């Protein structure tokens, strides 16, 4: 495993397992399988409706809590709920969370970030950060809050390497963690001739080439998969290295457009949608 040293001294494993859209026994088994097959980080969210099962998967894995990096995200409808972080600890069945992010830049995110800061100071969260915040809103957090976010999770992959966000985050020593690291399985990207050729050279799949690119860019990444074979394959990326020239060639495949387009309507929807345990 490779690690990113966060701005508060915490080491974050680069590779994590993403758990969106997986529920019940499936996610219990897949979390346990991932932790026993090369992953040390699990990424979930209040919104994913699977935190209880993620907690069960951790126990099922038999891996010690202190050897696991557990990451979750506060749901926007909970941004002014002072109980929300304690409730998250209970759902996950843990007494601390390694990293908690604000999921989206909507509602009262300044109040929510201050809740994260308080829980960080109380030792309930080992690191805090943001997800999907545009640069101006990260700046607003920096201007109004005490603790610099340690991590920002954003859509990022070779077809959209998030250049502007990356430059801003680097300047402020905030680590970038990629969501949709495989472009949500986009077949054009997974079959791009550039990755095919590199796969042939290194005897790796195109997916492994793409995931290795993330690590060599210095990014964290949380690929998701429902297939045990893929989960294992995606962790087998640390025994080769792309050359500087190959990283340059990959730079040219960028389409400079994310797959997920943020709109006023999408933000309004995200602001209102409740988590499955809220009612
Ligand atoms: N912060 C946010 O707002 C946000 C938003 C979206 C996602 N996320 C996080 O990012 C994680 C990843 O997102 P994602 O799962 O939507 O996208 P992804 O990781 O980019 O891609 C997943 C897709 O790739 C396929 N895949 C995975 N490994 C493969 C392999 N070795 N060979 C071929 N296909 C493979 C999967 O199919 P199979 O199931 O068949 O393997 C699935 O269709 C989520 O689980 C979540 O933790 C965060």
């Amino acid at each position: 495993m490779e690690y990113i040293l966060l701005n508060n001294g915490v080491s974050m494993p680069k590779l994590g397992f993403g758990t969106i859209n997986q529920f019940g026994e499936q996610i219990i088994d897949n979390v346990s399988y991932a932790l026993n097959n090369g992953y040390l980080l699990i990424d979930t969210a209040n919104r994913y409706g699977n935190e209880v099962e993620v907690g069960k998967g951790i126990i099922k894995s038999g891996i010690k809590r202190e050897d696991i990096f557990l990451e979750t995200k506060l749901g926007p409808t909970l941004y002014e709920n002072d109980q929300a972080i304690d409730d998250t600890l209970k759902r996950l069945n843990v007494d601390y969370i390694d990293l908690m992010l604000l999921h989206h830049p909507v509602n009262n995110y300044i109040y929510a970030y201050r809740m994260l800061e308080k829980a960080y100071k109380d030792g309930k969260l080992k690191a805090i950060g943001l997800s999907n915040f545009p640069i101006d809103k990260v700046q607003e957090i920096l201007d109004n809050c005490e603790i610099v976010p340690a991590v920002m999770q954003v859509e990022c992959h070779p077809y959209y390497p998030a250049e502007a966000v990356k430059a801003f985050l680097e300047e402020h020593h905030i680590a970038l963690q990629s969501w949709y690291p495989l472009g949500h399985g986009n077949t054009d990207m997974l079959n791009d001739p550039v990755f095919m050729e590199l796969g042939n050279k290194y005897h790796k799949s195109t997916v492994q080439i793409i995931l290795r690119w993330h690590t060599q860019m210095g990014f964290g990444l949380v690929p998701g998969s429902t297939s045990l074979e893929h989960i294992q394959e995606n962790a087998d990326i640390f025994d080769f290295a792309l050359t500087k020239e190959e990283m340059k060639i990959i730079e040219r495949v960028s389409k400079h457009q994310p797959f997920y387009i943020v709109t006023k309507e999408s933000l309004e929807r995200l602001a209102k949608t409740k988590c499955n345990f809220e009612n």
Side-chain angles (χ1 to χ4, degrees):
M1 180 57 66
E2 293 174 3
Y3 294 83
I4 297 175
L5 185 62
L6 302 181
N7 60 20
N8 66 349
V10 166
S11 275
M12 179 176 81
K14 276 191 184 169
L15 176 68
F17 179 58
T19 65
I20 202 168
N21 291 333
Q22 292 194 48
F23 307 97
E25 288 301 319
Q26 182 190 39
I27 193 61
I28 296 175
D29 289 346
N30 287 352
V31 164
S32 170
Y33 186 82
L35 290 172
N36 281 290
N37 285 276
Y39 297 74
L40 299 172
L41 185 154
I42 303 294
D43 177 56
T44 181
N46 294 164
R47 271 285 172 76
Y48 296 174
N50 62 12
E51 288 176 312
V52 170
E53 290 75 17
V54 165
K56 287 182 182 172
I58 288 173
I59 289 172
K60 183 169 180 180
S61 74
I63 310 285
K64 284 193 272 180
R65 170 70 188 92
E66 59 268 33
D67 294 336
I68 296 167
F69 191 103
L70 180 57
E71 171 174 356
T72 191
K73 311 177 199 82
L74 195 67
T77 48
L78 302 168
Y79 281 2
E80 291 182 69
N81 178 335
D82 294 308
Q83 271 301 309
I85 296 172
D86 284 345
D87 290 347
T88 303
L89 289 165
K90 278 190 207 131
R91 274 192 304 281
L92 288 163
N93 193 19
V94 292
D95 53 17
Y96 69 92
I97 292 163
D98 295 278
L99 173 63
M100 190 176 229
L101 312 177
L102 298 187
H103 207 151
H104 293 285
V106 294
N107 298 342
N108 194 347
Y109 52 81
I110 295 287
Y111 188 90
Y113 195 78
R114 291 194 177 128
M115 294 199 316
L116 296 191
E117 289 183 322
K118 180 171 185 312
Y120 176 77
K121 287 180 191 164
D122 291 344
K124 294 172 185 174
L125 308 177
K126 301 294 178 198
I128 61 177
L130 305 170
S131 173
N132 301 310
F133 275 54
I135 287 171
D136 60 329
K137 291 193 169 164
V138 183
Q139 187 62 56
E140 194 186 345
I141 295 280
L142 294 174
D143 292 343
N144 289 283
C145 298
E146 211 181 313
I147 299 167
V148 177
V151 174
M152 172 123 101
Q153 197 184 80
V154 285
E155 179 178 343
C156 179
H157 42 74
Y159 274 14
Y160 180 67
E163 289 109 331
V165 176
K166 173 179 181 284
F168 179 86
L169 296 179
E170 271 170 10
E171 192 188 320
H172 294 278
H173 307 289
I174 301 170
L176 189 156
Q177 190 183 50
S178 306
W179 65 256
Y180 274 9
L182 297 171
H184 198 48
N186 178 272
T187 45
D188 285 349
M189 191 171 83
L190 300 195
N191 294 319
D192 192 296
V194 165
F195 303 126
M196 295 245 198
E197 199 172 308
L198 291 169
N200 286 337
K201 173 179 169 188
Y202 289 106
H203 306 291
K204 292 284 176 183
S205 66
T206 56
V207 162
Q208 289 170 317
I209 300 293
I210 292 168
L211 298 178
R212 190 60 176 139
W213 170 86
H214 285 274
T215 65
Q216 289 188 220
M217 289 293 285
F219 301 151
L221 62 155
V222 289
S225 175
T226 51
S227 142
L228 297 184
E229 201 185 309
H230 289 168
I231 293 172
Q232 188 167 42
E233 175 185 329
N234 297 353
D236 183 18
I237 56 169
F238 295 106
D239 59 350
F240 74 106
L242 301 163
T243 65
K244 271 192 191 144
E245 293 70 29
E246 288 162 351
M247 292 295 284
K248 278 266 166 220
I249 292 168
I250 295 176
E251 215 176 286
R252 289 188 223 126
V253 306
S254 173
K255 312 279 185 209
H256 309 285
Q257 266 287 329
F259 289 119
Y260 184 87
I261 305 292
V262 177
T263 60
K264 190 166 162 277
E265 291 70 33
S266 71
L267 287 173
E268 278 169 12
R269 188 169 33 78
L270 288 165
K272 282 189 211 139
T273 310
K274 290 188 173 177
C275 304
N276 71 339
F277 49 81
E278 283 183 279
N279 260 316

